Amino acid sequence: MRGALTLCLLLLAATLAALMLGQVRLSPALLWQGLSTGEGPGALVLATIRGPRVLTALGAGAVLGLSGALFQTLFRNPLAAPDIMGFTAGAGLTIIAAIALGLALPMPLLAAGGGLVAALLVVLLSHRRGHATPPLTMILVGLGIGFLASALSSFLLTLLPHTQATEAQRWLTGSLAARDWGHVAQVCGIGAVLAALALAQLRRLAALELGEDLAAGLGLRVGRARLALAGTAVLLAAAGVAVAGPVPFIALMAGPLGARITGAGRLPGRMLAAAGTGALVLVVADLAARAALPGIQLPAGVMTGLLGAPYLLWRLSREMEKGEL
Amino acid sequence: MSLDLHTSGLRAEGLSLGYAERPVISELSLDLPRGEMTAILGPNGCGKSTLLRAMARLLEPAAGRVTLDGQDIHRRDTRALAREMAILPQAPIAPEGITVADLVKRGRTPWRGLFTPWRAEDASACAEALAAVQMTAFAERPLGELSGGQRQRAWIALVLAQAAPLLLLDEPTTYLDLVHQIDVLALLRRRNREAGITVISVLHDLNLAARFSDRLVLLGRDGLVATGAPWEVLTADNLQTAFGLAARVDPDPVTGTPMIIPL
């Protein structure tokens, strides 16, 4: 309970800081005036620039974090996450491809398609007839799919005219610059529906967590339940990518970090903690990215990359010590 | 149509398991009536666990079928079946940091629909299961902090909370020391006698199996060697056939059940 409160306070503090800090600094008084009356310089900054940006970051971070925690629980492996397994890269590729080909399809649809195709490829490539695929095999195959998708995205960038390429490159890194209220509505709306779907499947996940045989003994159709959960998690990640680009490492870090902050032991608590922590990390990363160097706005993905890479190395070394790799 | 005694319980009919080119079990028929405590015995690699998994519908038979009260278990709704038979696999996976209470609650899965809240009957089933394995005092403890024997009792509480009249266990005593092996088998025997639960388990220790079972199923490398009451199954000839073991069988001085003395 105290852990949940800590996370809420951290989220609140990060959100307020993200709303106040930036090229134009708002004092707490101006922020309050802007929030309560909708007038003054604060209101302008909040309504057009930082409000949508921060809320999009919160939404995208939450869906990515939840997606990562779902995968980690489903695969019983802390390295299982849509950003490691190539699903976010796949979602990013379809969006870049649509831009390059001049297709005007809705971003969430494109992202969902790319994520699902990447997931399908991972399943097909790691499948061996009559054998259960070890999670680590799927993770490594996913890593390969991710590299392939990133390489294709880079290739497509070279085909774009220079101005468009710079923008697309920025987006591919994972960026929250110039988001509007449409992005907020999109990620929150789609995110809420998918999160409800995921929560409705938590009892099945709780059974699957005990191993496939026990889950089957508890009356689950194991294959179907896994597929539905994995599909929901891929779509959650895609919803995040559609508004923030394939920001790396949020999904990977949010679950374990959230459990650490909140101390949540039970499954629903762990999932909520992962969503909250994903939101927290992305808001902080975005704030750091635009406030770290005066006059330069870095994409948020640069910051999560700087944060996430050491985490990944630490994780890998721990897994190696345990003999899992 | 009324159920006659012959169709009541779990039954294997002409069961073949494994791949066509490498059958683990072929053409096995077996009748396990309700209310009994049965142990499946045999040397390593003879297909004991495979047979148990097939009886629990975790494995699709290559030929033949498994029936519960006359109905093919693979044709039944898996969730409805989970209310009638519970299975504890050999190596269930404990999520990191899970408490005993949280673990046992998951045994209620087949009784809860998507929108069914936690009901009083779920709570009482869990409380009863914990009491039956004498783990009530440990409910809030993380599983990882418990001893091997306590952990196994917690897993058994999970399948007891499932409240199925038929319980299948794959090597429930492996990795336990002798005291805890007896503890687990005595606990299962109590549930069998007091609650009338049918218990079918794969065991390694022949003497303990003889002591705690109504019926033994002895498998050898070439399939079923014998099935029936302990004294009928554990004969010197059968042990020779199944294990290639030369042994004498004497009455256990304490319980009078067969006791194997290897020669």
Side-chain angles (χ1 to χ4, degrees):
Chain A
M1 217 58 247
R2 267 182 57 189
L5 193 66
T6 310
L7 181 56
C8 287
L9 288 177
L10 283 172
L11 258 178
L12 186 69
T15 306
L16 288 176
L19 287 174
M20 287 191 292
L21 302 176
Q23 277 173 332
V24 181
R25 185 171 288 219
L26 293 181
S27 66
L30 279 178
L31 178 70
W32 176 247
Q33 189 200 20
L35 282 175
S36 57
T37 64
E39 282 168 20
L44 186 69
V45 171
L46 291 178
T48 57
I49 306 166
R50 277 182 218 156
R53 178 173 196 148
V54 171
L55 288 176
T56 304
L58 285 172
V63 289
L64 284 169
L66 181 56
S67 169
L70 285 170
F71 275 119
Q72 284 160 350
T73 313
L74 195 59
F75 283 78
R76 288 187 293 272
N77 191 312
L79 294 174
D83 37 12
I84 298 291
M85 299 177 71
F87 307 151
T88 55
L93 172 61
T94 42
I95 291 179
I96 293 295
I99 294 173
L101 298 172
L103 292 175
L105 285 168
M107 301 269 266
L109 222 56
L110 288 167
L116 289 174
V117 168
L120 192 70
L121 279 175
V122 170
V123 171
L124 289 178
L125 287 175
S126 59
H127 181 73
R128 274 170 58 215
R129 216 181 132 73
H131 291 270
T133 314
L136 192 61
T137 307
M138 293 186 94
I139 293 168
L140 293 177
V141 170
L143 202 61
I145 296 287
F147 284 132
L148 185 68
S150 301
L152 285 174
S153 293
S154 301
F155 167 69
L156 286 174
L157 283 184
T158 62
L159 301 181
L160 291 176
H162 184 68
T163 47
Q164 232 183 337
T166 317
E167 192 44 46
Q169 171 66 56
R170 200 180 169 77
W171 183 85
L172 261 186
T173 318
S175 162
L176 288 150
R179 300 296 105 148
D180 58 37
W181 291 104
H183 292 111
V184 177
Q186 189 195 99
V187 71
C188 290
I190 297 175
V193 172
L194 290 173
L197 255 177
L199 292 179
Q201 297 176 73
L202 278 194
R203 267 181 218 162
R204 289 194 202 148
L205 185 59
L208 283 172
E209 219 186 356
L210 306 174
E212 291 191 3
D213 280 358
L214 194 44
L218 286 169
L220 256 69
R221 286 191 202 86
V222 171
R224 210 186 280 191
R226 288 179 63 100
L227 202 65
L229 272 158
T232 311
V234 169
L235 292 179
L236 274 164
V241 174
V243 295
V247 221
F249 296 121
I250 302 270
L252 176 74
M253 289 188 292
L257 195 59
R260 183 66 66 85
I261 295 174
T262 60
R266 301 196 41 227
L267 201 53
R270 290 210 313 266
M271 293 299 140
L272 291 177
T277 306
L280 177 69
V281 173
L282 189 50
V283 167
V284 171
D286 183 45
L287 174 62
R290 64 191 155 92
L293 300 172
I296 298 178
Q297 294 233 354
L298 292 170
V302 172
M303 279 298 157
T304 63
L306 286 176
L307 224 78
Y311 171 79
L312 179 62
L313 289 176
W314 174 77
R315 229 338 133 187
L316 285 172
S317 75
R318 283 239 340 217
E319 294 300 300
M320 278 190 248
E321 269 169 37
K322 282 199 294 180
E324 308 259 321
L325 279 179
Chain B
M1 197 184 79
S2 69
L3 291 169
D4 60 83
L5 264 177
H6 204 62
T7 58
S8 165
L10 202 55
R11 198 169 177 203
E13 298 170 5
L15 196 62
S16 295
L17 304 170
Y19 303 103
E21 61 273 24
R22 201 176 59 83
V24 182
I25 292 218
S26 51
E27 296 283 316
L28 183 139
S29 292
L30 201 60
D31 219 333
L32 303 175
R34 283 193 185 271
E36 291 189 350
M37 184 144 164
T38 301
I40 302 175
L41 305 167
N44 287 335
C46 70
K48 301 187 293 279
S49 291
T50 311
L51 175 62
L52 191 87
R53 283 168 51 82
M55 302 284 264
R57 58 119 162 49
L58 300 182
L59 199 66
E60 194 99 40
R65 58 179 202 155
V66 176
T67 61
L68 178 63
D69 299 339
Q71 280 183 295
D72 188 338
I73 56 169
H74 275 285
R75 297 193 168 198
R76 293 203 46 193
D77 174 56
T78 182
R79 187 158 152 236
L81 197 58
R83 297 175 181 182
E84 289 187 44
M85 62 154 85
I87 164 116
L88 184 60
Q90 195 174 350
I93 296 159
E96 217 176 298
I98 194 169
T99 61
V100 173
D102 190 5
L103 185 75
V104 174
K105 268 179 114 171
R106 298 184 188 191
R108 298 301 294 167
T109 308
W111 298 93
R112 304 180 69 200
L114 191 53
F115 299 105
T116 325
W118 187 250
R119 295 155 301 181
E121 61 195 87
D122 296 314
S124 66
C126 289
E128 260 174 54
L130 279 170
V133 300
Q134 290 156 357
M135 288 290 286
T136 311
F138 296 91
E140 295 311 319
R141 292 272 292 276
L143 200 66
E145 290 177 9
L146 303 178
S147 73
Q150 291 169 329
R151 266 205 292 269
Q152 188 62 333
R153 288 209 303 238
W155 284 109
I156 292 173
L158 175 139
V159 282
L160 290 180
Q162 200 173 334
L166 203 152
L167 189 53
L168 298 137
L169 306 103
D170 194 358
E171 304 204 14
T173 57
T174 309
Y175 310 121
L176 297 181
D177 59 36
L178 185 59
V179 177
H180 288 113
Q181 288 182 34
I182 294 173
D183 179 62
V184 161
L185 289 172
L187 150 73
L188 292 172
R189 190 49 151 172
R190 268 202 311 279
R191 296 309 293 170
N192 168 251
R193 290 255 164 89
E194 289 167 12
I197 290 177
T198 311
V199 179
I200 301 163
S201 45
V202 171
L203 295 179
H204 265 299
D205 190 304
L206 301 175
N207 293 329
L208 284 180
R211 184 183 275 216
F212 285 101
S213 308
D214 299 307
R215 175 185 296 265
L216 301 179
V217 175
L218 182 61
L219 299 177
R221 299 229 177 261
D222 301 316
L224 185 66
V225 174
T227 177
W231 274 110
E232 295 164 25
V233 172
L234 294 179
T235 63
D237 280 352
N238 285 343
L239 291 169
Q240 183 68 50
T241 312
F243 294 95
L245 175 75
R248 209 176 110 181
V249 185
D250 278 353
D252 182 320
V254 178
T255 57
T257 49
M259 186 173 70
I260 318 299
I261 302 147
L263 297 173

